[in-house]
Amino acid sequence: MKRYHPFLVTLHWVLATAIIFWLFMGHTSLEDTANTDPAKFNMLKTHMAVGIGILVLMLARLVMRFRSTKLTPVDANAVVMNKAGTIGHYVLYALVILMSVSGIVSAQIAGLGDIIFFGSGAPLPETFDGIAPLVAHKVLSVVLILLIVGHVLAALYHQFALKEKLFSRIWFGDRN
């Protein structure tokens, strides 16, 4: 096999797009909008719903990756680089899952499930300060951004410097 299963390819690009947009949303508009601003309610609703969707898709991708035919690993002729690539992918999975879980726990502690999805009518809390999982959520988001940048740079290095045609593995087309 020269390419990943089309379902894995689809999940890769859907997740990549969603994760990048949601990290951007969390670090810009969501973080910069006061809890008293009526727009914050819909922003949180969207952020939470898509965050849960990202978790579900990431878990589906992980299961599919374990169950599908394995491609021959890319060999950069460097043991450390090969190990870093393998470990880096699993760390990406773990960080996305931890981001989702920390977001869900933060929302639960803040009572956002009842407020946002079940219409309790209660206003948003004045602040989300002091919610430990939210602090973890923010720290993990920065680590995830750095890891994504590293992932993209490594992919570009493999594609253009090492000329390994890496992008064809994670794109659509004949799998043989």
Side-chain angles (χ1 to χ4, degrees):
M1 294 287 164
K2 293 181 182 178
R3 298 178 195 271
Y4 285 102
H5 189 281
F7 185 62
L8 276 174
V9 172
T10 300
L11 285 174
H12 174 272
W13 293 108
V14 166
L15 282 164
T17 303
I19 290 165
I20 289 167
F21 278 122
W22 258 241
L23 285 167
F24 180 76
M25 179 190 191
H27 279 274
T28 57
S29 54
L30 194 59
E31 198 168 273
D32 294 341
T33 305
N35 286 7
T36 55
D37 185 332
K40 181 84 168 222
F41 181 89
N42 286 329
M43 292 166 74
L44 280 169
K45 186 176 194 174
T46 302
H47 189 76
M48 291 165 59
V50 173
I52 291 167
I54 287 171
L55 174 62
V56 169
L57 291 176
M58 183 56 81
L59 292 173
R61 185 165 191 260
L62 194 57
V63 167
M64 181 67 180
R65 181 135 186 223
F66 283 125
R67 297 184 80 197
S68 65
T69 305
K70 306 292 182 261
L71 299 183
T72 304
V74 173
D75 186 358
N77 291 322
V79 174
V80 172
M81 197 180 329
N82 292 341
K83 291 274 186 212
T86 300
I87 292 168
H89 280 95
Y90 287 112
V91 172
L92 271 169
Y93 287 128
L95 281 175
V96 171
I97 291 167
L98 287 171
M99 281 283 302
S100 297
V101 169
S102 65
I104 291 167
V105 173
S106 297
Q108 188 65 27
I109 290 170
L112 295 182
D114 289 336
I115 297 168
I116 302 285
F117 294 114
F118 301 114
S120 73
L124 292 175
E126 270 185 48
T127 181
F128 295 124
D129 293 343
I131 299 175
L134 186 58
V135 173
H137 192 71
K138 290 177 182 181
V139 170
L140 289 169
S141 73
V142 172
V143 174
L144 184 56
I145 289 168
L146 294 173
L147 194 58
I148 290 169
V149 169
H151 181 72
V152 170
L153 291 174
L156 292 171
Y157 176 74
H158 279 277
Q159 180 72 23
F160 298 112
L162 299 179
K163 303 200 184 305
E164 294 173 328
K165 298 181 181 176
L166 190 67
F167 289 159
S168 66
R169 293 166 59 103
I170 196 69
W171 198 249
F172 302 95
D174 184 17
R175 293 186 66 208
N176 296 316

